């Protein structure tokens, strides 16, 4: 920056003015979309949640916090929130653990790396609708592969998507098949970034495969694991597609997620204001979880 | 490194040049065991594809007959595919998906790269705040926006148009962050020289920075395209008109319309899956690298 110092103050201020203009000019296109399709909906949604607005446009007067007090007393809201947290819990664990196990095994120097990546990652490229069609068909009580397999093992058939006790697990199985390949790829990339010298030193010290995995790979993967868990929790909380497509939230609301409740309150129940209030409660939950995670990761690294 | 490479030269897998696999010496037994486990799992992972294909190649009668069988009694047939293609909607929906995803990807790339460049390189007032706001916005889950966005699109009279599908899907704050981090690594000297020669910012951006950033632009493009291609909730809300549906939403209507025509259901699902699977087979390495580099950007 030796040139900058020789520039006269006037030229310098001219340059900083030009930088201001250029900077905002380059930011403007993004900013326009950002304001129109993110900031504005956030504001108008907050305003809408304070009104009784219906899908037909009627009743757009302010009703204060009535939507929120109604939502907090709405057992269906709590149930769908509970379903969402349940799904998040029982999907995040296998989506992280299986991904790590697959990556660790594939990274053992197996031949045909591309084949394994292809097999485990390719479902991630499918639209949710395709996944739901595949699995709804495999879960078919009479004609499905799952019950056929159970029958061969001498186990009585299961009403996969129609049994309230089983339906969420059935959805988790489909979800794991669909998206575990993404976390698997992230773990594989992280494993391949661990310097070889660590393993060489360990094997000179006589550490075996398992020992090396637990004392080298796993600690080295710590930061990646924290990231993957956070991203997975935030992704699982947003679940809607595959549940709506496979069970429509049933049986009897047993799998209805909070996003589906937002959708139904607005588009089936015609209550946009109420639906906006529920989406803000959902947003509040996401914020709390995100802040908790920031707090935990800070504390750990401090 | 030299010793391990020498001891296992045969294990160098072709086609994974960028990502060197773990080449530490292993007992053959554990490697054989690992190969067996992974093979079994990989086959299990392919079962849904295989069963869908087997079903799609059956007549409806065979598809719905018990006991179930991989090989149909009356032989394989392409009837289901023919019927699905004749009803005419899948090609339209594929084109809709292709067009909207390409438009979303293009707009996202242009606006994200230029704001990322400004933040990375230009010293302008308010840029820290701008970056802060963009990073903070990552936390906003898209489902929170669907109700107000629907209202907005309705009042702009854009429901059931391509605009409604495209415009709200072009903000990818994590991608701005990814691009900015990449631009930060490009040596400033390259630009300073051009600035001295009197080149404008726009020219420097398009002739120096963007060409040097091809790998990251490709990675972002891949990530955004896959997301847009598969997005369900927003297109499901923003369109009703059958001729405007994207593939994932169109399939949902087929499912309700065809009901128990299992072979046709599976044929449609496979036709919908086909484009991205084919693309993946061709660009496997780029896609995998792209996902690995952008995948953790959400935080």
């Amino acid at each position: 920056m030796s040139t900058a110092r020789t520039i006269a103050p006037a030229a310098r201020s001219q340059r900083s003015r030009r930088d201001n203009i250029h900077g905002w000019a380059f930011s403007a296109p993004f900013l326009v979309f950002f304001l129109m399709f993110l900031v504005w909906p956030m504001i108008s949604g907050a305003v809408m949640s304070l009104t009784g607005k219906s899908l037909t446009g009627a009743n757009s007067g302010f009703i204060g916090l009535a939507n929120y007090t109604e939502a907090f007393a709405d057992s269906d809201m709590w149930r769908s929130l509970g379903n969402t947290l349940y799904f998040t819990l029982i999907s995040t664990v296998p989506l992280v653990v299986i991904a790590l196990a697959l990556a660790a095994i594939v990274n053992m120097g197996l031949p045909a790396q591309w084949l394994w990546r292809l097999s485990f990652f390719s479902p991630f490229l499918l639209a949710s609708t395709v996944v739901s069609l595949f699995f709804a068909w495999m879960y078919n009580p009479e004609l499905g592969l799952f019950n056929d397999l159970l029958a061969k093992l001498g186990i009585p058939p299961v009403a996969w998507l129609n049994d309230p006790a089983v339906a969420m697990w059935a959805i988790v199985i489909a979800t794991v098949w669909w998206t575990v390949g993404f976390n698997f790829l992230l773990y594989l990339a992280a494993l391949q970034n661990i310097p070889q010298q660590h393993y060489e030193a360990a094997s000179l010290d006589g550490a075996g495969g398992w020992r090396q995995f637990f004392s080298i790979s796993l600690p080295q993967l710590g930061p990646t694991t924290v990231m993957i868990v956070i991203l997975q929790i935030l992704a699982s909380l947003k679940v809607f597609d595959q549940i709506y497509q496979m069970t429509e939230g049933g049986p009897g609301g047993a799998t209805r997620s909070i996003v589906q409740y937002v959708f139904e309150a607005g588009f089936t129940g015609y209550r946009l204001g109420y639906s906006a209030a529920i989406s803000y409660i959902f947003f509040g939950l996401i914020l709390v979880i995100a802040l908790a995670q920031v707090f935990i990761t800070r504390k750990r690294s401090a | 490194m030299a010793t391990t490479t020498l001891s296992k030269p045969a294990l160098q897998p072709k086609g994974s040049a960028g990502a060197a696999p773990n080449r530490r010496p292993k007992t053959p037994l554990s490697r054989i065991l690992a190969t067996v486990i992974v093979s079994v799992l990989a086959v299990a992972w392919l079962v849904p594809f295989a069963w869908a294909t087997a079903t799609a190649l059956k007549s409806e009668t065979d598809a719905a007959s018990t006991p179930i069988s991989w090989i149909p009694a009356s032989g394989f047939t392409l009837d289901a595919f023919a019927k699905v293609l004749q009803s005419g909607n899948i090609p339209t929906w594929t084109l809709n998906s292709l067009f909207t995803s390409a438009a979303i990807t293009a707009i996202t790339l242009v606006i994200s790269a230029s704001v990322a460049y400004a933040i990375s390189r230009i010293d302008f007032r308010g840029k820290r705040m701008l970056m802060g706001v963009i990073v903070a916005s990552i936390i906003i889950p898209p489902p929170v926006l669907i109700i107000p966005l629907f209202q907005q699109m309705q009042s702009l009279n854009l429901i059931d148009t391509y605009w409604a599908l495209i415009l709200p899907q072009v903000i990818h704050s994590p991608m701005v962050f990814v691009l900015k981090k990449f631009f930060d690594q490009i040596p400033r000297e390259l630009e300073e020289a051009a600035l001295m020669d009197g080149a404008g910012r726009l020219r420097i951006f398009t002739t120096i920075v963007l060409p040097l950033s091809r790998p990251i632009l490709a990675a972002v493009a891949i990530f955004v395209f896959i997301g847009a291609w598969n997005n369900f909730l927003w297109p499901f809300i923003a369109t009703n008109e059958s001729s405007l549906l994207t593939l994932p939403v169109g399939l949902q209507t087929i499912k309700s319309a065809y009901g128990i025509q299992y072979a046709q259901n599976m044929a449609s699902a496979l036709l919908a899956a086909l484009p991205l699977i084919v693309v993946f087979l061709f660009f496997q390495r780029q896609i995998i690298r792209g996902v690995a580099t952008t995948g953790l950007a959400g935080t």
Side-chain angles (χ1 to χ4, degrees):
Chain A
M1 283 322 282
S2 59
T3 46
R5 225 169 258 181
T6 56
I7 295 173
R12 237 178 128 174
S13 84
Q14 198 187 3
R15 182 168 175 189
S16 81
R17 223 186 97 205
R18 211 180 52 198
D19 278 351
N20 278 339
I21 295 169
H22 286 169
W24 286 106
F26 271 90
S27 309
F30 181 86
L31 213 53
V32 168
F33 282 100
F34 188 79
L35 292 172
M36 278 187 73
F37 301 111
L38 198 109
V39 176
W40 175 245
M42 279 306 280
I43 296 170
S44 73
V47 173
M48 208 189 294
S49 75
L50 303 173
T51 71
K53 191 161 188 149
S54 104
L55 192 59
T56 58
N59 300 326
S60 48
F62 278 94
I63 54 170
L65 293 173
N67 284 327
Y68 289 92
T69 47
E70 184 186 340
F72 282 118
D74 179 350
S75 60
D76 283 344
M77 199 282 291
W78 287 111
R79 185 148 185 238
S80 46
L81 208 54
N83 289 339
T84 306
L85 291 173
Y86 182 57
F87 172 84
T88 302
L89 180 73
I90 65 174
S91 65
T92 298
V93 174
L95 281 170
V96 173
V97 174
I98 295 176
L100 174 59
L102 284 177
I105 301 176
V106 168
N107 197 45
M108 279 173 71
L110 299 191
Q113 295 263 325
W114 64 271
L115 181 65
W116 316 123
R117 285 185 298 202
L118 178 75
S119 317
F120 300 125
F121 181 69
S122 57
F124 185 77
L125 296 169
L126 301 178
S128 55
T129 344
V130 174
V131 176
S132 298
L133 279 167
F134 281 3
F135 274 81
W137 175 227
M138 291 197 296
Y139 286 138
N140 184 296
E142 291 88 34
L143 302 167
L145 269 189
F146 280 101
N147 276 351
D148 186 58
L149 182 69
L150 292 186
K152 282 186 180 128
L153 299 170
I155 301 169
V158 173
W160 295 94
L161 296 171
N162 295 316
D163 180 342
V166 182
M168 196 63 102
W169 289 95
I171 284 162
V172 168
I173 292 173
T175 308
V176 169
W177 179 80
W178 180 26
T179 64
V180 77
F182 181 73
N183 292 347
F184 159 74
L185 273 193
L186 298 182
Y187 266 129
L188 202 55
L191 277 169
Q192 286 166 352
N193 280 335
I194 299 177
Q196 281 300 304
Q197 293 93 301
H198 291 312
Y199 294 110
E200 280 157 24
S203 67
L204 284 180
D205 291 343
W210 284 104
R211 188 65 205 280
Q212 289 183 19
F213 178 74
F214 282 105
S215 56
I216 301 172
S217 309
L218 218 47
Q220 292 271 334
L221 289 176
T224 309
T225 300
V226 172
M227 291 291 212
I228 291 179
V229 169
I230 292 175
L231 286 182
Q232 188 56 57
I233 289 176
L234 292 174
S236 284
L237 285 171
K238 284 179 246 174
V239 67
F240 169 77
D241 298 11
Q242 66 271 44
I243 297 185
Y244 183 76
Q245 293 154 2
M246 279 193 269
T247 67
E248 290 187 27
T255 58
R256 177 159 64 189
S257 72
I258 187 75
V259 173
Q260 188 185 335
Y261 197 54
V262 169
F263 169 79
E264 285 178 352
F267 296 105
T268 320
Y270 277 57
R271 301 181 62 196
L272 290 187
Y274 188 55
S275 153
I278 300 165
S279 45
Y280 265 79
I281 294 171
F282 170 56
F283 182 47
L285 174 79
I286 296 247
L287 266 186
V288 168
I289 290 174
L291 290 176
Q293 280 162 341
V294 168
F295 185 72
I296 292 166
T297 46
R298 278 252 174 89
K299 214 172 171 190
R300 190 182 283 177
S301 61
Chain B
M1 283 306 263
T3 52
T4 48
T5 324
L6 276 177
S7 63
K8 300 283 172 212
L11 274 171
Q12 283 263 25
K14 298 158 220 145
S16 63
N22 208 332
R23 268 178 266 117
R24 80 195 115 111
K26 279 262 159 202
T27 61
L29 185 68
S30 71
R31 205 184 293 114
I32 290 168
L33 195 67
T35 311
V36 170
I37 294 173
V38 170
S39 307
V40 169
L41 285 169
V43 169
W45 240 254
L46 293 176
V47 165
F49 286 111
W51 181 238
T53 311
T55 308
L57 291 173
K58 292 174 185 174
S59 65
E60 292 296 349
T61 328
D62 280 337
S65 65
T66 48
I68 66 169
S69 150
W70 285 82
I71 316 276
S74 49
F76 289 110
T77 164
L78 286 171
D79 266 10
F81 285 100
K83 284 210 180 92
V84 164
L85 285 173
Q86 268 163 25
S87 78
N89 279 325
I90 291 218
T92 314
W93 296 336
T94 308
L95 286 178
N96 286 341
S97 276
L98 201 63
F99 170 67
T100 54
S101 310
I104 289 166
T105 308
I107 298 175
T108 304
L109 272 186
V110 170
I111 66 176
S112 310
S114 82
V115 71
Y117 173 74
I119 292 172
S120 167
R121 278 298 197 273
I122 306 174
D123 225 359
F124 62 101
R125 200 176 296 190
K127 98 174 184 181
R128 290 179 69 98
M129 189 195 68
L130 180 64
M131 189 64 200
V133 170
I134 293 173
V135 168
S137 75
I138 292 174
I139 199 63
I140 298 172
V144 169
L145 300 174
I146 56 167
I147 297 290
L149 270 178
F150 176 80
Q151 268 281 288
Q152 189 183 15
M153 290 297 145
Q154 211 178 27
S155 61
L156 294 170
N157 261 324
L158 291 179
I159 291 294
D160 267 332
T161 66
Y162 285 123
W163 298 111
L165 288 173
I166 296 167
L167 296 179
Q169 291 196 64
V170 300
I171 303 153
H172 290 267
S173 304
M175 297 303 132
V176 174
F177 190 66
V178 168
L179 289 164
K180 185 218 166 240
K181 264 171 72 181
F182 189 91
F183 294 156
D184 284 347
Q185 294 169 344
I186 298 176
R188 274 170 183 270
E189 292 75 42
L190 292 173
E191 286 170 72
E192 306 261 314
L195 268 176
M196 284 291 150
D197 292 346
R201 281 283 182 194
L202 194 60
R203 233 183 93 206
I204 291 172
F205 178 57
T206 52
T207 61
I208 297 176
V209 176
L210 286 185
L212 286 171
S213 311
R214 266 196 213 119
I216 198 74
L217 292 172
V220 170
I222 286 164
F223 201 79
V224 172
F225 189 91
I226 295 173
W229 180 277
N230 288 336
N231 193 7
F232 177 75
L233 180 55
W234 176 247
F236 182 54
I237 287 169
T239 46
N240 290 308
E241 174 79 39
S242 177
S243 65
L244 281 170
L245 300 183
T246 58
L247 258 181
V249 182
L251 269 191
Q252 178 71 8
T253 66
I254 274 196
K255 193 183 132 203
S256 350
Y258 287 10
I260 53 163
Q261 294 186 299
Y262 303 117
Q264 289 184 44
N265 268 344
M266 289 306 116
S268 327
L270 286 170
L271 286 172
L274 203 61
L276 270 200
I277 296 290
V278 170
V279 169
F280 184 56
L281 290 176
F282 276 104
F283 297 102
Q284 205 210 138
R285 210 181 307 167
Q286 289 86 336
I287 291 177
I288 283 177
R289 201 183 301 142
V291 167
T293 45
T294 50
L296 281 179
T299 43

